[in-house]
Every structure is written in C-alpha cells, then in structure tokens.
Amino acid sequence: MSAHNIDSVLIENRKFKPNPNFVARARIRKQEFDALHKMAAEDYTGFWAKQARELLSWHRPFKQVLDDSRAPHFTWFADGSLNVSYNCLDRHLGSRANKNAIIFEGEKGDVRTLTYQQLTDEVSRFANALKAQGIRSGDRVVIYMPMIPEAVIAMQACARIGAIHSVVFGGFSSESLRDRINDAGARMVITADGGNRGGKIVELKAATDKALAGGCPSIDKVIVCQRTKHNIPMKAGRDIWWHDAIAKQNTDCPPVWVDAEHPLFLLYTSGSTGKPKGIQHSSAGYLLGAILTNLWVFDLRESDIFWCTADVGWITGHTYVAYGPLAAGGTLMMYEGAPTIPDAGRFWKMVQEHKVSIFYTAPTAIRALMKLGDSFPNKYDLSSLRLLGTVGEPINPEAWMWYHTVIGKEHCPIVDTWWQTETGSNMITPLPGVTATKPGSCTIPLPGIAADVVDEDGNSITTPNQGGYLVIKKPFPSQLRTIWGDDARYASTYYPKFGGKYYLAGDSARKDEDGYFWIMGRIDDVLNVSGHRLGTMEVESALVAHPKVAEAAVVGRPDDIKGEAIFAYVVLRGARPAGGVDAAITKELRDWVGEQIGAIAKPDDIRFADNLPKTRSGKIMRRLLRNIARGEDITSDTSTLENPDILLQLQGKV
Ligand code: WTA
C-alpha cells in the first residue's frame, strides 16, 4: 500500500445550508435525523431490524438480525425470506399500478413508458421465459445489454426466480465478458443485437459471439433482444430472440421466495490484481440499503421523476436505476445514449421534456458538460429539478459550484454520495433537508453507518484534516457478502488490518473540524478514470499480453475532465523507438488494451523506455513513475538505479 494519497490537500471553506423550502417538506429533517442517529447509537441491531421491518415486505418475517459469529462473514435477517422483484413491483400494484415505473428515451429520441402494471407483466413474462430455458434459482445469468428497459426487465426477472445476475457493462470487450462468464460459471447470456451510443451501434451480439467462441463451456443459451435491428447471425440451438422466448409465456409468474442471504447478484469490479473480482451481494440487506437511501438521501416522493444517468453495468445503475427507485415506488428515467448527442444540451433537454426532478450523475460528466459552456443548459427550462447528486469520484469545488449555480439555480441541494460497489448503497453523504454542504466534501455518514478515519494502528484520528484510512467499524446490511468463489480473498482484501474488525474501504480520507469527510484517493493500485474503477495491474496485464511488450507499469495522473488519466510506461521486446515515441505502436497498444478490457482502459499516454526503474529487490518504483507522470519533483531515491539514463527516457527527454 502506498501513502501517496495520505497527505492532506486543499481546504475549502464555503458552506451551503439546506434550502428552507426543501427542508419544509423533506422526508428526513433535523429532528428525524437526530432520532435515527440516537437509535443507531443506542441499539445498533434494533435500528437495522426496525428499518428492515418497515421498509421491506417479507414472506417469512425474520427473528435473527445480525449474525457475526463467522466474522468477517456477516449475515443479516438470515431466517427471513422475501423476493426482491416482489418488493420492487407486485407490492405497488394496489396503489401504483398505473403509475409510470420507467420513462425511457433512446438516443435517437424514441420514448417509451412502462407503468408498474406493465413492468410487472413484462418481468413475469420474461421470468417465465427464463424458466422455460431451464434457468433455476441459484443459476448465474450474465446480462450484457444496452441501457434499455429490457436490461431492467432482465435483472428483475432473474430476481423473481432467484437466479443470480451478473451485469457486464456494454463498453467492456469480449475478452472481459468471457472472463466474467467463466468466473461465474454462467449458464446464459442475455444480450441485444446492439445498442445506440454516440451515434453508432455498439455491437453487443458480435462481442458475445466472440466471447463464446473463445470458450465458455457453462453457457447453454443466449437470449437476444432486438434493439438496433441490424443484421446479426443467430446460432441455431443456442441463440433465441427475446420476442420469441416470451411469445408463448403468460404474465403470471409467482415470485420465488428466497432466504434473505440468497445472492441477488454478482458485479465484477477492479482491485489490485490483474483480474476483476465478483462482488457478491445479498437479497434483503442489499435491498434495504437501496430503498432506504432512495428515500433518505434522494428524498424520493410519489411525484418525482428520478434520473440517475449511470449504466446498469455499474453498481450505481443497480441501486439507483434497477432496484432502489422501484423498491421505493418511484418513477425512474432511463436514457440509452451519450450525453452529447446531438449536442451538449441533451441531458438538459431531457430534464425539461420529462420534468426530471432528481438528477444524479458523475463529476466527470459535470466537468465535461461544464467545459462545453453554459449556453446549453441555459437553453432549457430546468425548473423541475429539486435535488442534484454526484457519485463515483471526488468532485472539485469548481465543478460543484457550476452544478449548484448553472444547473441547480442555487436552490437545489447537492448530495455528494460516497460509496462503493462493495457497500451496495450510499454511505457518507449529506441528507438534503439536514446537512449543510461544502463543495468537494461528501460530508457525514448516514445513521447506522459507522464510518471513521483511522491511523495505521486503527485508532481514530482526532486531529482535524489529518489523513488516514477510511474504514467502516461495524458490519452493515448492504455490504458485500464475499468475493464470488473466493472467501479468502474477501477477508484479506477488506479485513486485512485492525484485527479484522473494520471494513477497509481502500480509500484515504480526512475529517475536518466539523467532522466532515473529504475523500483523498485510493490507497491501493486502483485508478478512478471518469468515475470508473480500473486496476493498474489489470491494464498492465493487458499490455504485457501483447507480443511486442516485455514489461509495463501503469500509473494515474490528474486529468481535468476524467479525474484521473492512465499513464503507461512500456518496455518493448527489441529496440526502443527513437526518441521514445512511435505513433503507430502507441495506437496498436491502445487498441489492444481496448480489445482486452474495453475502451475506458485505453492508456492516455504511453512512454517507451529501455527498462523500468526498480529497487534493489526488483520492485518497480511506482512513486517515481507517478511523480514523472504528474510532472512533479522526484522524491524517490534514484541513486540505486542500475541505469540512470532511463530517468531521462521515462521523463520523455531523450
Ligand atoms: C470513489 C461507485 C469521492 C472512491 C459508487 C471509492 C468517491 C470508489 C465518491 C468506488 C465520492 C465513490 N467522492 N470518491 N462521492 N464515490 N468514490 O466501486 O475511491 O465504482 O472507493 O463505486 O469510487 O467506486 P465504485
């Protein structure tokens, strides 16, 4: 673990009190907030049991709350049973049957709505289709889809019959898809002919075919949703059109009641090794976090239109698109395409047309749209907005202020939500009717979330603004249960220190004099590129898999828009290109990484050297490489370098 992110940085003093008009009708006000904190402090498990009883519909009520006897493997509500799809759909049919559950807009402008009744019918039909193809409770199903309602239908249908889904982001390559299929031992892939994004077709079926051709022995069937309607080959006996699969199915599919701890889904995310890990979430604990934060943090109400722009391929798209808003009985907005099609006003035009009231996106998107100018948002009526949110990476105060003034017109609270794939739902975040915000800070932990910043020995850091490890000191219902198939890696990754008592988030943070949390960056070798997690090792493994590459080291450097950019140092087999630059091989390697992982992992810079700088024990001097990539002064001892000339090569000077 490196300490490069544990130095305290910038101090931001502006503070924005909750808007009184918002406070007047907020679900959680100071009084409720204090009561929740008090209850969580006095009776932690009682607090969670109460939330779980009030917010979830149980088939068999639980008696047991937290079981920590096999720590760090925790269970919650384990003797209860329920069904997640029932909680998201059926239970609303009494009063919300004709309410819109989903408002969808395609990149080309096609709009489709589904009421709760229609969505329940579609989910049930598709769930019956899955059963007809032999899918049973506990089977893994990979979903590789565009951002269309069928993606949510597929996820909900799996949940309905107890199948465990693993959604793979449509921007990942066939190689990444194959790895995830094989790691999970999935029986089926649900995909589409293609999706529309950035004015082009994303070739999802072609990528699926390629993944399966490389060897996925566990896959029996592929269901293909028709979206783009371009010509694609269908393999007889394996591939079935979605519309054919549901043609004979009826809309009655009783939910399969599963135990609270039954895995709802796997979602692969990057860590510090070359291969992503399958984060395994539970049914009840996960859903509780999802519904509770949709109500508390997003203040979701009957009349809201909630638009979270995340793709369902990420955790944010699980918790704030596919599950949370539906479990809370809300209306969600879903968009298929890119934010700049046909121009940078697309999001704001959609806010106006669909009267979006809650908008949740990533700092990268805010920065990119900010750069394109105020004239785009200023063209549209954004008065329907009442709450804004950000997630995925630290937001710089400048982007925060732009979001606040130009989009929120200074009256919308901004919730900067810190959380992770592993935590399942928001953890440290303002509550819009309670917490005064400071641009760049995710503020304070939610009631029931024992977040803290500790030193090397696990002691709370009490000196304001001193950096340390971000930890969660008590188990919480929505946390990951394990890494699929690898309990040992789960324990060693998340509970490696502090006597195995605290969940180690992998971020460094500091608390200011008001106790507000400021996230400072990762302490492991994970990059945050445009709010997406990528392991440096993952990109390195992809690079060294190229026949021309002998060695590679990857570090991050700050980027104005993406937050972090990928900087790769490469040693080629054979001679180093003259002057360390070669456009052709650079392009070849970038495309290669795109094929191995996905476009988001393509290095922004590649620099060629004869060697990588190593310590005497043979470890790559990453701090040195980071200093160089960031144009900083070199703080490492370089006197032991075998070949001092490589310093100039690494710096791009010779
Ligand atoms: C970072 C995304 C600062 C952090 C939900 C975390 C943030 C990683 C914030 C998880 C935030 C997420 N402020 N940093 N509000 N939210 N992060 O798993 O480094 O894709 O550990 O989950 O993103 O990324 P993941």
Side-chain angles (χ1 to χ4, degrees), residues 346-640:
R346 182 61 181 264
F347 277 1
W348 319 125
K349 182 166 184 276
M350 285 176 62
V351 167
Q352 169 182 295
E353 281 172 4
H354 300 290
K355 301 208 164 25
V356 173
S357 56
I358 305 172
F359 183 74
Y360 188 32
T361 198
T364 292
I366 299 170
R367 286 191 292 264
L369 294 173
M370 172 174 82
K371 212 168 172 186
L372 296 168
D374 299 359
S375 64
F376 290 103
N378 288 346
K379 258 188 255 171
Y380 301 99
D381 175 7
L382 304 182
S383 60
S384 56
L385 289 173
R386 67 182 195 91
L387 176 58
L388 303 174
T390 75
V391 57
E393 45 178 329
I395 182 164
N396 49 314
E398 186 197 359
W400 195 101
M401 287 306 298
W402 184 81
Y403 204 28
H404 173 67
T405 51
V406 179
I407 306 304
K409 313 293 181 204
E410 298 184 18
H411 72 86
C412 297
I414 297 180
V415 289
D416 174 350
T417 59
W418 178 87
W419 59 297
Q420 308 179 293
T421 305
E422 292 88 340
T423 69
S425 52
N426 300 162
M427 304 290 284
I428 310 178
T429 170
L431 288 189
V434 178
T435 322
T437 49
K438 301 184 190 184
S441 167
C442 54
T443 75
I444 51 177
L446 286 172
I449 299 302
D452 198 4
V453 178
V454 301
D455 65 18
E456 204 52 55
D457 302 317
N459 302 311
S460 275
I461 292 180
T462 48
T463 317
N465 296 315
Q466 189 178 316
Y469 297 95
L470 179 59
V471 296
I472 317 291
K473 292 180 157 177
K474 288 183 185 167
F476 50 98
S478 71
Q479 78 181 96
L480 80 163
R481 292 306 189 256
T482 191
I483 292 173
W484 178 255
D486 202 343
D487 286 350
R489 187 171 171 200
Y490 160 79
S492 66
T493 305
Y494 302 108
Y495 293 89
K497 291 162 92 78
F498 319 125
K501 282 210 179 103
Y502 301 161
Y503 168 83
L504 184 71
D507 282 343
S508 58
R510 65 182 168 89
K511 285 200 277 177
D512 67 15
E513 34 303 292
D514 295 331
Y516 277 39
F517 286 67
W518 297 75
I519 305 300
M520 293 158 67
R522 299 284 307 189
I523 51 168
D524 50 11
D525 292 317
V526 171
L527 304 178
N528 193 325
V529 181
S530 304
H532 302 318
R533 271 167 72 167
L534 274 175
T536 53
M537 284 269 287
E538 227 177 310
V539 184
E540 286 164 9
S541 323
L543 281 168
V544 296
H546 189 283
K548 289 184 186 158
V549 175
E551 267 192 295
V554 168
V555 298
R557 66 155 170 80
D559 181 272
D560 280 353
I561 298 216
K562 303 203 282 188
E564 225 171 352
I566 304 175
F567 198 116
Y569 297 89
V570 169
V571 179
L572 293 176
R573 292 177 197 277
R576 169 177 181 257
V581 264
D582 183 330
I585 174 89
T586 299
K587 179 170 186 310
E588 190 177 331
L589 293 183
R590 293 187 73 235
D591 291 347
W592 170 263
V593 174
E595 277 171 35
Q596 296 289 307
I597 304 175
I600 52 169
K602 286 185 181 179
D604 296 271
D605 306 283
I606 299 185
R607 196 162 281 170
F608 299 96
D610 285 329
N611 276 302
L612 295 175
K614 301 210 175 129
T615 61
R616 223 166 276 171
S617 59
K619 272 183 71 176
I620 295 173
M621 298 167 75
R622 286 180 179 277
R623 181 203 288 261
L624 171 70
L625 294 177
R626 232 179 263 126
N627 286 153
I628 294 173
R630 296 173 183 190
E632 298 164 350
D633 292 338
I634 291 173
T635 53
S636 320
D637 175 13
T638 54
S639 60
T640 54

Side-chain angles (χ1 to χ4, degrees), residues 251-263:
T251 56
D252 181 27
C253 177
V256 172
W257 307 112
V258 297
D259 289 343
E261 284 293 316
H262 183 77

